[in-house]
Amino acid sequence: MKVLGHRLELLTGLLLHDVTMAGLQELRFPEEKPLLRGQDATELESSDAFLLAADTDWKEHDIETPYGLLHVVIRGSPKGNRPAILTYHDVGLNHKLCFNTFFNFEDMQEITKHFVVCHVDAPGQQVGASQFPQGYQFPSMEQLAAMLPSVVQHFGFKYVIGIGVGAGAYVLAKFALIFPDLVEGLVLVNIDPNGKGWIDWAATKLSSLTSTLPDTVLSHLFSQEELVNNTELVQSYRQQIGNVVNQANLQLFWNMYNSRRDLDINRPGTVLNAKTLRCPVMLVVGDNAPAEDGVVECNSKLDPTITTFLKMADSGGLPQVTQPGKLTEAFKYFLQGMGYMPSASMTRLARSRTASLTSASSVDGSRPQACTHSESSEGLGQVNHTMEVSC
């Protein structure tokens, strides 16, 4: 933990080295009607659908960090050298509203039984959070990222595989840039690497004057087409955002996210001493999502040899909610590429790519050398170049 302590003192200025791994992969899925496993949108109007499903095994913690307390829920315990799965939700949500549908999906259980899962709630966004006092300064996006090593240290994780959505994807990307040795892989949904220009800032300011906070946040989460055509799902989220998340605390998080700076990344070789994410990354966006342009631009700034771009057909702003099955399949393949899931446990999507790997890895976590934290010369698996998958 000496290295971790040292990194807590040095929050900026780390130089990232190149990591080689063959093949930019682009996954395109055929159209499939959005689904919510075992639920229709009207059922989501009940908070039980979001907040009470399969919560019995989770343990809650409040962890002290350099920038205040973080509410964290965790299931399982660290398993050998295997990383933890750490999630960070989007603005307007918390870990339950953002990830319950995805992590309660049946096929995800095959993954989570092999990993400890750690959900992080941004300060004051958890269910039942007390309102921050007048004058409270909400942490910046950089400070939110700098809070995460305290979580890693508290639970004794060696490193994590992060899953972030929207604002949470930005936070996890910042975390990986500042503390690259703590992050083995990232799944970034709806990430926007750009700060807001003055025109965007003015539009957001005007929207806040003419709309309620939940409605303003909904325009961030859903496309205009979804807001018009998927009214039941949108209404269920409007209700949850307004009733479950403390509105004053949400306003502070919303303001901070909209004042973020550009994510300081460039594709290796494009500029001198370019910074980029050095771990394997899977970028995810729905083909009808407001964040599509931002995700495409982020893809253009990452190392193509370790980046997977997944554009999900017939999916809007919350693919982990509307298409949990497809995202689970892609995540399983992503883990297999990192050497963590045996081919026998993979779904049809991943099994179809088994021949692309020169060796299969074991459940115990023998990883290909191309991975960030390789500890063995065995299993020198490489992934082929661009692929298209139907499922």
Side-chain angles (χ1 to χ4, degrees):
M1 290 304 169
K2 291 182 179 179
V3 174
L4 177 58
H6 180 62
R7 292 189 180 282
L8 283 170
E9 298 174 4
L10 302 175
L11 298 182
T12 57
L14 295 179
L15 296 178
L16 311 180
H17 64 74
D18 291 342
V19 179
T20 59
M21 178 178 176
L24 169 65
Q25 308 164 56
E26 182 172 357
L27 310 181
R28 291 188 178 276
F29 289 86
E31 291 189 356
E32 177 180 313
K33 294 302 180 184
L35 71 149
L36 295 170
R37 178 173 160 264
Q39 301 172 340
D40 58 32
T42 56
E43 288 176 316
L44 290 176
E45 294 181 5
S46 166
S47 62
D48 290 351
F50 279 116
L51 304 179
L52 299 181
D55 279 349
T56 55
D57 297 331
W58 297 94
K59 297 180 180 179
E60 299 189 40
H61 300 262
D62 289 313
I63 298 174
E64 290 190 19
T65 80
Y67 302 100
L69 289 177
L70 265 186
H71 181 262
V72 175
V73 297
I74 187 170
R75 183 173 65 185
S77 57
K79 296 173 172 61
N81 289 329
R82 200 171 307 164
I85 295 175
L86 184 145
T87 75
Y88 212 113
H89 59 86
D90 202 354
V91 65
L93 308 176
N94 50 48
H95 80 272
K96 293 186 176 184
L97 295 176
C98 193
F99 291 112
N100 258 16
T101 300
F102 181 49
F103 277 86
N104 290 341
F105 189 74
E106 183 176 1
D107 288 348
M108 270 296 290
Q109 310 316 306
E110 189 175 5
I111 294 176
T112 57
K113 70 183 180 182
H114 296 301
F115 293 88
V116 57
V117 179
C118 179
H119 293 306
V120 177
D121 285 317
Q125 310 304 301
Q126 70 269 23
V127 176
S130 300
Q131 184 168 317
F132 289 125
Q134 188 73 23
Y136 171 80
Q137 180 61 49
F138 197 86
S140 68
M141 302 303 288
E142 291 77 12
Q143 290 170 336
L144 291 176
M147 298 170 84
L148 295 178
S150 298
V151 177
V152 175
Q153 185 175 29
H154 180 88
F155 293 112
F157 303 149
K158 291 188 175 181
Y159 23 77
V160 303
I161 296 173
I163 304 178
V165 179
Y170 182 99
V171 170
L172 289 182
K174 266 293 185 187
F175 173 50
L177 286 171
I178 301 171
F179 304 98
D181 290 341
L182 298 182
V183 183
E184 182 151 7
L186 288 173
V187 177
L188 303 177
V189 183
N190 297 337
I191 187 171
D192 187 344
N194 301 316
K196 282 187 174 292
W198 71 269
I199 294 178
D200 292 327
W201 179 87
T204 300
K205 200 71 174 176
L206 179 62
S207 175
S208 67
L209 297 175
T210 58
S211 304
T212 66
L213 180 58
D215 283 333
T216 301
V217 171
L218 286 171
S219 67
H220 161 75
L221 299 175
F222 298 100
S223 67
Q224 287 301 312
E225 182 177 340
E226 287 181 290
L227 293 173
V228 172
N229 297 328
N230 204 350
T231 54
E232 290 183 341
L233 180 63
V234 171
Q235 179 57 33
S236 68
Y237 268 88
R238 178 184 287 109
Q239 179 183 6
Q240 298 302 318
I241 293 168
N243 295 337
V244 173
V245 184
N246 182 285
Q247 298 299 283
N249 295 353
L250 170 55
Q251 185 71 66
L252 293 175
F253 188 18
W254 176 250
N255 292 344
M256 190 57 69
Y257 177 64
N258 285 307
S259 65
R260 70 190 182 279
R261 289 179 277 185
D262 288 353
L263 199 61
D264 186 18
I265 55 174
N266 289 282
R267 178 162 289 184
T270 59
V271 299
L272 186 64
N273 296 326
K275 294 181 180 180
T276 193
L277 298 173
R278 79 183 205 188
C279 63
V281 178
M282 181 167 71
L283 299 174
V284 181
V285 69
D287 64 352
N288 185 30
E292 182 177 0
D293 290 343
V295 177
V296 170
E297 180 167 352
C298 187
N299 183 55
S300 72
K301 294 182 176 182
L302 296 180
D303 184 345
T305 66
I306 54 171
T307 302
T308 300
F309 179 70
L310 169 59
K311 186 174 181 180
M312 298 184 67
D314 202 9
S315 180
L318 297 177
Q320 77 279 12
V321 173
T322 58
Q323 299 284 7
K326 290 180 179 179
L327 186 55
T328 298
E329 277 199 293
F331 186 42
K332 282 185 177 182
Y333 176 71
F334 182 70
L335 291 173
Q336 186 191 40
M338 296 174 67
Y340 285 112
M341 296 292 292
S343 59
S345 69
M346 301 307 294
T347 59
R348 177 169 55 85
L349 164 65
R351 283 198 302 269
S352 70
R353 296 301 299 164
T354 302
S356 299
L357 303 177
T358 59
S359 63
S361 302
S362 69
V363 179
D364 294 329
S366 299
R367 285 161 287 177
Q369 195 174 48
C371 293
T372 305
H373 298 285
S374 177
E375 298 168 354
S376 171
S377 61
E378 298 176 359
L380 305 181
Q382 288 189 338
V383 181
N384 286 348
H385 289 277
T386 304
M387 71 174 184
E388 295 183 4
V389 179
S390 296
C391 68

